[in-house]
């Protein structure tokens, strides 16, 4: 019990320090980039007196350290400021937009794991032969091609020409107000409400962007799984298992794969966090109303409260997933349970 509490304390301290560092970096960047937050609020045609009054009201006349402490105090109380674009609290906007990104990234990661892990094991186990070459070429294409290019090509081919998938957006216009957004995840909300037509529409719109993002996840996961597999198959225990009569594939899945799974948890966690963080271009191409599109539009409109709030949320999720991966790493690896 004492060991568990010690580990829990370490995780809490690590998370708090990481979040403090994240808030400090994002705040400083937000203050020093060449964007005037006052003009974003009052507009270009405001009088000098209005400009100065607004500048004083948001505390820009105070020293940077004092501004940061004020910002941190508001952040602790859940106040991320008000968005210039929507005129709503940034926290309200983030709660509205983040579930769409979460849904897209989760489905993409599941696709990446389902295909990428077996493909990586196959490539590592057949190193140098044609299955390995195919997986490596597919993976190379996946993490070399720009995601916005793949998105545009996918829309042109599968939506514009073949009409196999739904177009941009998250759901057909006719179903936008049909489902009560209890969780914000359309597939789940429509299923809970029994609105199966809306469910099919949401699923159809999710197919293409999730496959594009899933392909990126697949390429990374398959490449790392291949590397882990090659490393484990070169160990003495693998040769010993074969000498004792274990079939090759039995040895791969029964003996090597559990050891591959330990570092693979971290890889999958990083891939998931990266998709949550880096879905900006995909959401822009597919007009997906998620956090990435919200941050992009806020940046173009100099809405720094929204940009900083979105950045902090993405960073906090990244830190949380890393900490969760560390916990799972310790649970899966029996050697670490005893430490």
């Amino acid at each position: 019990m004492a060991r568990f509490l010690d580990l829990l304390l370490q995780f809490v301290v690590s998370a708090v320090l990481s979040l403090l560092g994240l808030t400090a970096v994002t705040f400083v960047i937000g203050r020093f980039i060449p964007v005037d937050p006052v003009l974003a609020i009052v507009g270009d045609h405001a009088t000098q007196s209005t400009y100065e009054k607004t500048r004083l009201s948001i505390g820009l006349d105070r020293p940077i350290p004092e501004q940061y402490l004020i910002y941190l105090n508001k952040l602790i109380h859940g106040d991320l400021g008000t968005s210039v674009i929507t005129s709503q609290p940034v926290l309200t906007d983030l709660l509205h937009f983040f579930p769409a990104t979460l849904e897209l990234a989760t489905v993409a990661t599941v696709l990446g794991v389902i295909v990428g892990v077996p493909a990586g094991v196959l490539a590592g186990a057949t190193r140098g032969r044609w299955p390995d070459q195919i997986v490596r070429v597919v993976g190379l294409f996946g993490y070399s091609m720009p995601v916005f290019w793949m998105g545009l090509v996918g829309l042109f081919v599968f939506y514009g020409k073949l009409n196999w998938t739904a177009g941009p957006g998250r759901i057909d216009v006719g179903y936008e107000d049909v489902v009560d957004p209890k969780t914000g995840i359309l597939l789940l909300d429509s299923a809970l409400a029994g609105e199966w037509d809306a469910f099919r529409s949401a699923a159809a719109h999710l197919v293409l962007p999730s496959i594009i993002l899933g392909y990126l996840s697949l390429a990374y996961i398959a490449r790392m799984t291949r590397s882990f597999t090659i490393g484990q198959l070169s160990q003495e225990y693998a040769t010993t298992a074969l000498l004792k009569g274990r079939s090759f594939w039995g040895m791969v899945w029964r003996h090597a794969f559990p050891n591959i799974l330990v570092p693979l948890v971290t890889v999958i966690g990083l891939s998931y966090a990266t998709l949550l963080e880096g879905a900006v271009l995909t959401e822009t191409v597919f007009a997906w109303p998620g956090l990435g599109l919200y941050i992009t539009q806020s940046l173009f409109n100099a809405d720094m409260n929204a940009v900083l709030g979105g950045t902090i949320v993405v960073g906090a999720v990244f830190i949380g997933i890393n900490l969760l991966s560390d916990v799972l790493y310790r649970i899966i690896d029996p050697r670490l349970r005893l430490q």
Side-chain angles (χ1 to χ4, degrees), residues 234-295:
S234 65
Q235 300 295 318
E236 292 183 359
Y237 75 83
T239 304
T240 302
L242 292 175
L243 291 175
K244 287 184 176 181
R246 173 75 69 175
S247 67
F248 176 75
W249 287 107
M251 178 273 296
V252 169
W253 291 107
R254 178 65 180 84
H255 298 281
F257 186 70
N259 292 320
I260 296 168
L261 188 60
V262 175
L264 195 58
V265 167
T266 303
V267 169
I268 294 172
L270 289 174
S271 176
Y272 185 40
T274 301
L275 293 187
L276 284 171
E277 178 187 19
V280 176
L281 293 176
T282 305
E283 291 183 355
T284 302
V285 170
F286 287 93
W288 191 266
L291 187 58
L293 186 61
Y294 174 70
I295 294 176

Side-chain angles (χ1 to χ4, degrees), residues 271-333:
S271 176
Y272 185 40
T274 301
L275 293 187
L276 284 171
E277 178 187 19
V280 176
L281 293 176
T282 305
E283 291 183 355
T284 302
V285 170
F286 287 93
W288 191 266
L291 187 58
L293 186 61
Y294 174 70
I295 294 176
T296 302
Q297 292 176 340
S298 300
L299 186 60
F300 286 152
N301 289 276
D303 190 353
M304 296 313 299
N305 283 337
V307 172
L308 292 178
T311 303
I312 288 173
V313 167
V314 170
V317 170
F318 201 98
I319 292 170
I321 290 177
N322 276 305
L323 291 176
L324 179 61
S325 298
D326 195 13
V327 172
L328 293 176
Y329 195 103
R330 293 176 179 274
I331 293 174
I332 294 174
D333 192 342

Side-chain angles (χ1 to χ4, degrees), residues 20-280:
L20 281 175
L22 173 67
T23 57
V25 171
T26 53
F27 179 82
V28 170
I29 292 175
R31 285 295 181 267
F32 285 99
I33 61 174
V35 172
D36 191 341
V38 180
L39 285 180
I41 297 173
V42 302
D44 296 332
H45 303 291
T47 63
Q48 186 63 30
S49 60
T50 302
Y51 179 92
E52 289 298 331
K53 184 178 180 180
T54 304
R55 182 172 177 272
L56 293 174
S57 68
I58 61 179
L60 292 182
D61 60 316
R62 303 180 182 183
I64 294 296
E66 186 178 350
Q67 291 183 41
Y68 173 67
L69 291 177
I70 294 173
Y71 178 76
L72 195 61
N73 180 61
K74 290 181 178 180
L75 189 63
I76 293 173
H77 292 86
D79 183 5
L80 298 176
T82 302
S83 170
V84 175
I85 301 175
T86 64
S87 300
Q88 294 189 109
V90 171
L91 183 59
T92 301
D93 287 342
L94 295 177
L95 291 175
H96 174 73
F97 288 105
F98 184 68
T101 298
L102 181 66
E103 181 178 40
L104 177 59
T106 300
V107 174
T109 302
V110 170
L111 292 175
V113 171
I114 290 175
V115 181
V117 172
V121 172
L122 174 64
T126 59
R127 182 182 184 184
R129 301 201 293 272
W130 65 266
D132 180 29
Q133 299 297 337
I134 291 175
V135 172
R136 291 175 66 185
V137 170
V138 171
L140 178 64
F141 186 83
Y143 50 77
S144 298
M145 292 297 103
V147 64
F148 71 88
W149 179 83
M150 289 193 291
L152 291 173
V153 171
L155 279 173
F156 176 75
V157 175
F158 298 106
Y159 169 63
K161 293 296 183 180
L162 301 177
N163 198 29
W164 287 359
T165 62
R170 199 177 176 198
I171 196 170
D172 290 338
V173 177
Y175 298 109
E176 284 187 352
D177 298 322
V178 172
V179 179
D180 183 23
K182 294 180 179 179
T183 66
I185 300 176
L186 272 180
L187 289 179
L188 182 59
D189 289 340
S190 56
L192 291 175
E195 296 288 347
W196 297 111
D197 289 337
F199 179 88
R200 284 187 287 270
S201 175
H205 283 80
L206 183 62
V207 168
L208 192 54
S210 64
I211 288 177
I212 297 295
L213 272 184
Y215 185 24
L216 300 180
S217 177
L218 180 159
Y220 175 61
I221 291 174
R223 180 165 62 96
M224 298 304 297
T225 304
R226 176 184 181 274
S227 177
F228 296 150
T229 302
I230 292 173
Q232 291 301 319
L233 293 183
S234 65
Q235 300 295 318
E236 292 183 359
Y237 75 83
T239 304
T240 302
L242 292 175
L243 291 175
K244 287 184 176 181
R246 173 75 69 175
S247 67
F248 176 75
W249 287 107
M251 178 273 296
V252 169
W253 291 107
R254 178 65 180 84
H255 298 281
F257 186 70
N259 292 320
I260 296 168
L261 188 60
V262 175
L264 195 58
V265 167
T266 303
V267 169
I268 294 172
L270 289 174
S271 176
Y272 185 40
T274 301
L275 293 187
L276 284 171
E277 178 187 19
V280 176

